[in-house]
Amino acid sequence: MKKHLYFLLIAALIFQMSAKSQTIDRNYVNKIKEFTTDERFLPKSLLDVVDHPTIPNPLKHFGHIIGAEGHVHRSEEIFNYYKKLAETSPMVKIQQMGVSEEGRPFYIVVIADENTISELDYFKNQTALLSDPRITSQEQAEKIVLESKPIYYVSGGMHATEMGSPEMLMELAYRLITSPAQEIKKIRENVITVINPVMEPDGWDKQVDWYYRYTKGRENFEDGFPRSTPYWGKYVFHDNNRDGLQVSQQITKSIFKAFFEFHPTVMLDLHESVPLLYISTGTGPYNDYVDPITQSEWQVMGNHDVAAVAAQGMPGAFTWAFYDGWWPGYGIWVANNHNSNGRFYETYGNAGADTYLRDLSTARFAGDLATSKEWYRPDPATPQVYWSFRNNINYTQVGVIASLSYAADNAQLLLSNFYKKAYNSLEKGRKEGPKAFTIAKEQRDPAMAAYLANQLVSQGIEVYENESHYVALTEQPYRNLLVSLMTPTAYPKDAKFPPYDAIAWTLPNLYGVEVKAKDSLDFNVSGLKALDYPVKYLGKVIGQGNTYLLTYKAQNSVLPALYAFKSQNRNTELSILPKTIVVDGDTLPAGSILIKKINADQATKIALDFGLDLKAGGSEISTSDQKSIQLPRVAIYHTWYNTQDEGWSRYTFEERGIPYTSIDKDVLKSGNLRSKFDVILLPRVRGNAKNFIHGVDKKFGPMPYTKTAQFPSHGFPASTNDMTGGPGFLGIENLRKFVEEGGLLITLDNTSSIIAEMGIASELSPVSAGSLFHPGSIVMAKARKSGSPILYGFPESFNLFRGNGPLLQTDKFNRDLMLVQYGFQPLKDEVPYEGPILGLKEKELTAKAEKKDEKNPPYVVSGMVRNEQEIVGHGAVFNVPLGKGSILAFTFDPLHRYLNHHDAPMVWNALINWDKLR
């Protein structure tokens, strides 16, 4: 301990000597003043940027200050600046945390005093010990707290158009290692700051290129010109902050890696969408499984930061009135889900480095005007602000420094709370039920049972196995998260404000896996083996021959397995059994697959690779009892104005191993679609028929999205010489012809409404939902035509995930087009009339009266729906014939965020049976 204090003293003396020799960089400070539009936006605490003799500030490094008009930097430039800081200062360490889908690195930058950096592994181990009360007693924790430092993780650049934070963090980093200010010195000595400088480098670089290519220097922010590049990541757009449950994208994996390596005490994510600075607390309702300590910390920290901003005379900072605190799938919620504290800021951004007159006069949050004085917003901004890039930098930086300062002043409290939250979770596992969740390995889709176990492990939850089950015991530090993921949610119906995102995430229902909650441990716990690697269901092959049967139960891997069969042996013959049939004593349900002309080795490889069970036999099945499978040529359509859900569809297809071709407006306009494709998938897009037909306004064209030497990040994952204009009426007519000539058009969620609006699916009409409020929830549905190939493998009733999407319906005489309905009750016009009928004898009503007494399961499985009577009986899936083909219209999204895997096989069924739906 004496040696430790000695080194601290020496480091402090060296720093003090260096600090005395430093002077303020007046050029830098004057530039800050120049690019700040109002004195009230100019905090004095930022006007002390030093001119360090050996460590370059951004002005020296780049030739301009952070926040200079017209200047933003690509990810490589940003990373190179941090590398320069690490080269010139012993207080900086840079570490790679993975690689993006497009090959760009993820980095974190660790900043603290020199002695702390030299002992970083020691401090990381300290927080790891505090994270698990089973290995650290309360007495030991008290000692560790005294010897530890809070680790504060600050991240920027998740959303590409929110361009302030990656720039600001460079200046903050320089300030943290060079400033002689007492507040900064206190942070440096008492907090380990971990900076994630560009969370999504793929999207960031695309947006920087977009700024320099298209938006730099535009005079009016509200001129209708697209402010965002059409793509951010390879697959996901804004939903890169909705992947915290799936952990499917590389950005999320890098966040999780940092969390479990550092166990940060607080994580603060920087965003831009709200004037002028929102500091997250949320309106509630709060997630039931977030510890009350965390919920209270949100309030204390939020009010502290608002007070710190107000103390510098800066208007417009507020808490409470934005977001709720319910959905656990945001990236930064890895902290809240694991006994830490996850927070975020929203500042006001211009999607670039230009200055604009911005109008706040009509913006409302939680019902109040953004410019009104409220208990949570003590000093509002004026209805209009002349807003610069530097203003944004100032607000974000002042807020982050306030947050770090709070951590420095309350280090022991935050560390104690971190331990206490883990202890509370563990105690709930010891004293409350359930005691365990068991997942039988033998399931309808055993590969999904293994997937569920793996997903729990990816969350840091301890999972075990024996010969027959995967088991998660609740007596563990992340018990609260485990129970949250495995049990239904109950969002309050009387919540005052609408939820910020979906409100249900019960993984067993979303994955179609049966799970049992055990209130007592009625099995041998000592025989369990910990899962420390990804598990995989290995399919079995029974018997040998050249003909095999696959019992179909809507397994997610069947369709990709069929493509694999044909890929490894083009002579393989695939047939579907459209009716239940008994073969060699086994009852095969409708939809089962007959595979001919393969050998035992090929069968074994497919079974192992795709987790499917095959059995030799079936050669005697009559040709009349089988129908040949012609695997389709699939196209996935994307617009140039909204690629969010198209990206999830592409990701799902690629992850499953289903081949497809990505197409856009130009392909639709070129025609001859039926000669190229058998199925076209239209993923969910926002907007209406007008948006879909006309796309980006042609007055802005031509707008190439192509890779060039000047804009190297563009042209991926798709390219075009002109983004403007949509398919037009010609493209829509070609889409109609595609169906009429025998193609299958699959529409998801809002695109079903668009196709109906355009008249291609003219039998479908929008339904006025009245007072229906249906945020993302898991609900019950009922098969209306259980014999449809779309429903192969599904029972008569099942759950699905649906949000606030469109409602469509047909005239009563066309109700046979409805394959699946929401809930169990019929629509009012379908309820049989039971009164007297003039001209007919009195009817017998006894049987009908008995039927009316039957009780159906509740509509809501997990989540909440208000006025569910407005949707029950309406169509969830329609099969609309058109010419020789069909339109399969979903009024929900069965490919939602790579999350509702239970629903996806309806799409896979459509692809397997694309030519058998008439």
Side-chain angles (χ1 to χ4, degrees):
M1 189 68 180
K2 290 182 179 179
K3 185 177 181 181
H4 178 76
L5 291 172
Y6 172 77
F7 282 118
L8 277 177
L9 180 61
I10 294 297
L13 288 172
I14 292 172
F15 179 82
Q16 286 176 4
M17 292 172 63
S18 174
K20 289 179 180 178
S21 65
Q22 295 175 34
T23 59
I24 300 298
D25 189 330
R26 294 299 174 189
N27 289 334
Y28 202 112
V29 170
N30 288 336
K31 287 293 181 181
I32 291 176
K33 294 178 179 179
E34 176 185 342
F35 294 123
T36 301
T37 62
D38 192 287
E39 285 190 359
R40 292 205 65 193
F41 301 151
L42 183 65
K44 290 183 173 58
S45 62
L46 298 187
L47 301 180
D48 63 350
V49 180
V50 301
D51 184 3
H52 196 280
T54 60
I55 305 173
N57 64 34
L59 176 59
K60 285 186 176 181
H61 184 81
F62 294 114
H64 48 259
I65 71 163
I66 297 300
E69 189 85 2
H71 290 283
V72 289
H73 304 91
R74 294 181 174 86
S75 63
E76 185 176 11
E77 297 175 283
I78 293 173
F79 295 150
N80 284 341
Y81 180 66
Y82 286 106
K83 290 176 182 178
K84 177 61 69 174
L85 294 182
E87 289 172 7
T88 55
S89 172
M91 291 182 278
V92 181
K93 179 180 179 180
I94 187 168
Q95 179 177 338
Q96 187 168 341
M97 302 303 289
V99 179
S100 73
E101 284 82 357
E102 297 178 29
R104 294 177 178 87
F106 297 107
Y107 286 112
I108 57 168
V109 180
V110 187
I111 298 175
D113 63 51
E114 184 175 352
N115 187 67
T116 302
I117 290 295
S118 68
E119 297 187 78
L120 185 59
D121 288 341
Y122 164 80
F123 287 105
K124 289 196 294 184
N125 185 62
Q126 294 287 84
T127 54
L129 290 172
L130 292 176
S131 73
D132 192 345
R134 295 170 303 180
I135 61 175
T136 304
S137 69
Q138 294 188 59
E139 293 76 15
Q140 291 170 324
E142 290 174 3
K143 182 180 179 182
I144 290 171
V145 165
L146 294 174
E147 298 174 351
S148 301
K149 297 185 179 184
I151 299 176
Y152 207 115
Y153 177 103
V154 185
S155 52
M158 173 176 273
H159 292 154
T161 52
E162 299 167 6
M163 304 189 76
S165 58
E167 300 289 329
M168 180 282 294
L169 288 169
M170 289 190 283
E171 184 175 295
L172 175 68
Y174 177 77
R175 189 181 300 277
L176 289 176
I177 62 177
T178 62
S179 174
Q182 287 302 308
E183 184 175 35
I184 301 299
K185 180 182 177 182
K186 175 184 62 178
I187 294 169
R188 191 163 49 228
E189 294 176 351
N190 295 286
V191 177
I192 299 170
T193 304
V194 177
I195 293 175
N196 186 334
V198 185
M199 298 180 79
E200 171 55 289
D202 293 345
W204 175 261
D205 283 353
K206 291 185 184 76
Q207 184 64 27
V208 171
D209 281 357
W210 185 268
Y211 173 69
Y212 284 123
R213 192 172 195 169
Y214 291 119
T215 62
K216 181 179 178 179
R218 295 193 72 84
E219 295 182 359
N220 182 3
F221 187 80
E222 302 292 346
D223 63 359
F225 190 90
R227 291 284 162 175
S228 174
T229 175
Y231 294 99
W232 290 356
K234 179 180 179 181
Y235 300 109
V236 300
F237 197 75
H238 190 275
D239 271 359
N240 59 11
N241 199 22
R242 303 296 188 273
D243 189 45
L245 301 183
Q246 309 91 307
V247 199
S248 66
Q249 306 301 301
Q250 294 303 319
I251 177 179
T252 316
K253 293 174 183 178
S254 72
I255 297 169
F256 272 53
K257 181 178 180 181
F259 180 86
F260 289 117
E261 180 175 337
F262 285 83
H263 295 92
T265 324
V266 184
M267 299 181 79
L268 174 62
D269 196 17
L270 305 176
H271 289 270
E272 296 173 18
S273 68
V274 174
L276 294 177
L277 171 61
Y278 168 72
I279 297 167
S280 67
T281 59
T283 61
Y286 292 149
N287 186 299
D288 290 332
Y289 295 96
V290 173
D291 193 288
I293 295 174
T294 298
Q295 297 179 25
S296 299
E297 287 175 332
W298 291 340
Q299 317 306 319
V300 173
M301 292 181 183
N303 285 311
H304 170 273
D305 294 356
V306 168
V309 174
Q312 300 213 43
M314 303 172 74
F318 69 106
T319 66
W320 186 74
F322 182 77
Y323 158 83
D324 52 0
W326 182 265
W327 169 254
Y330 308 106
I332 212 70
W333 264 64
V334 65
N336 296 319
N337 291 335
H338 296 89
N339 306 318
S340 179
N341 184 309
R343 316 170 62 218
F344 68 93
Y345 284 176
E346 298 279 354
T347 52
Y348 208 36
N350 290 340
D354 294 294
T355 301
Y356 293 103
L357 181 65
R358 302 292 302 273
D359 189 343
L360 325 179
S361 60
T362 60
R364 288 181 179 271
F365 303 99
D368 299 327
L369 286 169
T371 55
S372 65
K373 186 172 182 177
E374 307 290 342
W375 64 265
Y376 55 84
R377 183 171 42 239
D379 187 9
T382 54
Q384 290 189 346
V385 294
Y386 191 55
W387 193 250
S388 71
F389 192 39
R390 184 65 213 190
N391 293 351
N392 186 8
I393 302 293
N394 292 345
Y395 269 77
T396 313
Q397 190 168 180
V398 164
V400 173
I401 290 172
S403 297
L404 293 172
S405 182
Y406 177 88
D409 289 336
N410 298 276
Q412 292 181 17
L413 175 63
L414 290 174
L415 289 165
S416 296
N417 285 349
F418 180 58
Y419 175 81
K420 180 61 175 174
K421 286 181 277 188
Y423 180 84
N424 291 346
S425 187
L426 182 66
E427 284 295 290
K428 281 181 175 287
R430 287 175 177 160
K431 297 178 180 179
E432 300 178 12
K435 295 298 182 182
F437 294 95
T438 61
I439 309 166
K441 294 182 178 180
E442 292 296 326
Q443 299 257 353
R444 175 190 63 81
D445 189 347
M448 287 306 301
Y451 178 78
L452 174 55
N454 290 333
Q455 288 300 99
L456 295 178
V457 172
S458 74
Q459 295 285 346
I461 293 168
E462 296 168 0
V463 181
Y464 302 84
E465 69 172 332
N466 55 29
E467 290 187 1
S468 60
H469 288 78
Y470 305 111
V471 179
L473 304 174
T474 58
E475 193 175 322
Q476 57 175 298
Y478 302 146
R479 175 266 180 194
N480 286 351
L481 175 61
L482 171 63
V483 177
S484 172
L485 296 177
M486 300 291 270
T487 57
T489 67
Y491 190 87
K493 275 196 172 183
D494 58 354
K496 294 181 180 179
F497 303 102
Y500 196 66
D501 207 272
I503 58 175
W505 52 84
T506 312
L507 296 188
N509 298 93
L510 292 173
Y511 294 174
V513 175
E514 292 186 11
V515 173
K516 290 186 177 180
K518 310 287 284 188
D519 290 326
S520 61
L521 301 180
D522 56 356
F523 52 87
N524 181 15
V525 176
S526 62
L528 297 175
K529 177 185 175 183
L531 290 186
D532 54 4
Y533 55 88
V535 292
K536 180 180 180 180
Y537 177 73
L538 301 176
K540 300 180 289 291
V541 177
I542 300 174
Q544 291 189 341
N546 60 9
T547 303
Y548 292 82
L549 290 163
L550 188 160
T551 302
Y552 190 68
K553 300 177 182 177
Q555 303 98 313
N556 266 290
S557 56
V558 169
L559 176 60
L562 299 183
Y563 278 106
F565 272 126
K566 294 294 286 187
S567 176
Q568 72 176 14
N569 182 356
R570 64 181 182 180
N571 295 320
T572 298
E573 295 180 3
L574 305 171
S575 298
I576 197 158
L577 309 180
K579 296 180 180 180
T580 300
I581 189 172
V582 178
V583 179
D584 297 332
D586 295 329
T587 300
L588 302 177
S592 295
I593 309 293
L594 180 65
I595 306 145
K596 301 177 184 177
K597 297 184 180 181
I598 63 168
N599 58 43
D601 289 342
Q602 292 168 337
T604 299
K605 176 174 173 52
I606 296 297
L608 293 175
D609 288 349
F610 294 92
L612 296 169
D613 296 332
L614 304 176
K615 184 177 181 179
S619 57
E620 73 282 6
I621 296 177
S622 168
T623 55
S624 62
D625 291 328
Q626 55 182 287
K627 292 184 178 180
S628 176
I629 296 174
Q630 303 297 323
L631 293 175
R633 301 163 297 166
V634 181
I636 300 179
Y637 180 76
H638 74 86
T639 71
W640 286 102
Y641 69 88
N642 182 224
T643 62
Q644 177 82 278
D645 295 289
E646 173 269 341
W648 280 119
S649 294
R650 283 190 292 109
Y651 178 80
T652 303
F653 272 61
E654 291 182 26
E655 194 70 10
R656 291 289 176 201
I658 302 169
Y660 72 93
T661 301
S662 179
I663 64 172
D664 71 351
K665 60 186 177 65
D666 296 325
V667 176
L668 294 192
K669 287 191 289 188
S670 68
N672 297 316
L673 298 175
R674 186 65 189 88
S675 66
K676 305 167 189 174
F677 310 111
D678 303 305
V679 178
I680 296 178
L681 173 68
L682 301 184
R684 175 173 53 195
V685 295
R686 61 173 169 78
N688 53 28
K690 175 184 176 182
N691 303 128
F692 191 90
I693 294 169
H694 300 297
V696 179
D697 198 324
K698 288 188 72 66
K699 72 182 180 183
F700 299 124
M703 287 176 59
Y705 187 72
T706 52
K707 181 177 181 178
T708 68
Q710 190 177 4
F711 309 112
S713 70
H714 284 183
F716 187 84
S719 65
T720 181
N721 290 321
D722 187 7
M723 288 173 279
T724 67
F729 294 109
L730 173 62
I732 301 305
E733 183 58 28
N734 288 335
L735 197 60
R736 179 197 298 275
K737 288 180 181 178
F738 164 78
V739 181
E740 290 175 337
E741 293 170 1
L744 172 63
L745 181 64
I746 303 176
T747 61
L748 308 183
D749 200 279
N750 194 51
T751 49
S752 296
S753 180
I754 290 172
I755 288 297
E757 187 181 353
M758 293 191 299
I760 296 180
S762 57
E763 292 86 349
L764 301 180
S765 300
V767 174
S768 176
S771 56
L772 175 68
F773 183 59
H774 204 304
S777 297
I778 301 169
V779 297
M780 289 301 297
K782 183 179 77 171
R784 299 267 298 212
K785 298 186 73 173
S786 56
S788 167
I790 303 303
L791 296 177
Y792 286 160
F794 284 83
E796 290 292 322
S797 62
F798 51 88
N799 66 246
L800 55 82
F801 180 89
R802 177 192 161 87
N804 278 313
L807 266 185
L808 299 172
Q809 194 47 271
T810 67
D811 291 325
K812 186 176 180 181
F813 58 79
N814 265 333
R815 295 285 162 77
D816 62 334
L817 303 181
M818 195 195 310
L819 305 182
V820 181
Q821 73 164 63
Y822 294 107
F824 296 93
Q825 298 296 330
L827 291 171
K828 291 180 180 179
D829 65 357
E830 295 177 338
V831 176
Y833 176 69
E834 296 180 354
I837 300 176
L838 293 175
L840 293 178
K841 294 182 180 180
E842 186 175 347
K843 296 189 296 180
E844 295 291 332
L845 303 178
T846 306
K848 292 180 180 178
E850 291 177 356
K851 188 173 182 180
K852 285 177 67 176
D853 291 338
E854 293 178 2
K855 288 188 177 181
N856 293 311
Y859 174 63
V860 177
V861 176
S862 182
M864 181 277 296
V865 177
R866 289 186 193 141
N867 301 307
E868 63 189 54
Q869 73 277 2
E870 299 282 353
I871 189 173
V872 169
H874 281 296
V877 187
F878 297 90
N879 181 21
V880 180
L882 180 62
K884 297 178 181 178
S886 295
I887 301 163
L888 186 66
F890 292 83
T891 59
F892 64 100
D893 187 353
L895 304 180
H896 176 71
R897 294 177 176 169
Y898 199 65
L899 194 54
N900 53 336
H901 300 288
H902 169 270
D903 307 343
M906 282 184 273
V907 177
W908 313 148
N909 283 344
L911 299 186
I912 295 171
N913 301 278
W914 67 274
D915 55 350
K916 304 174 183 66
L917 300 183
R918 297 298 302 272

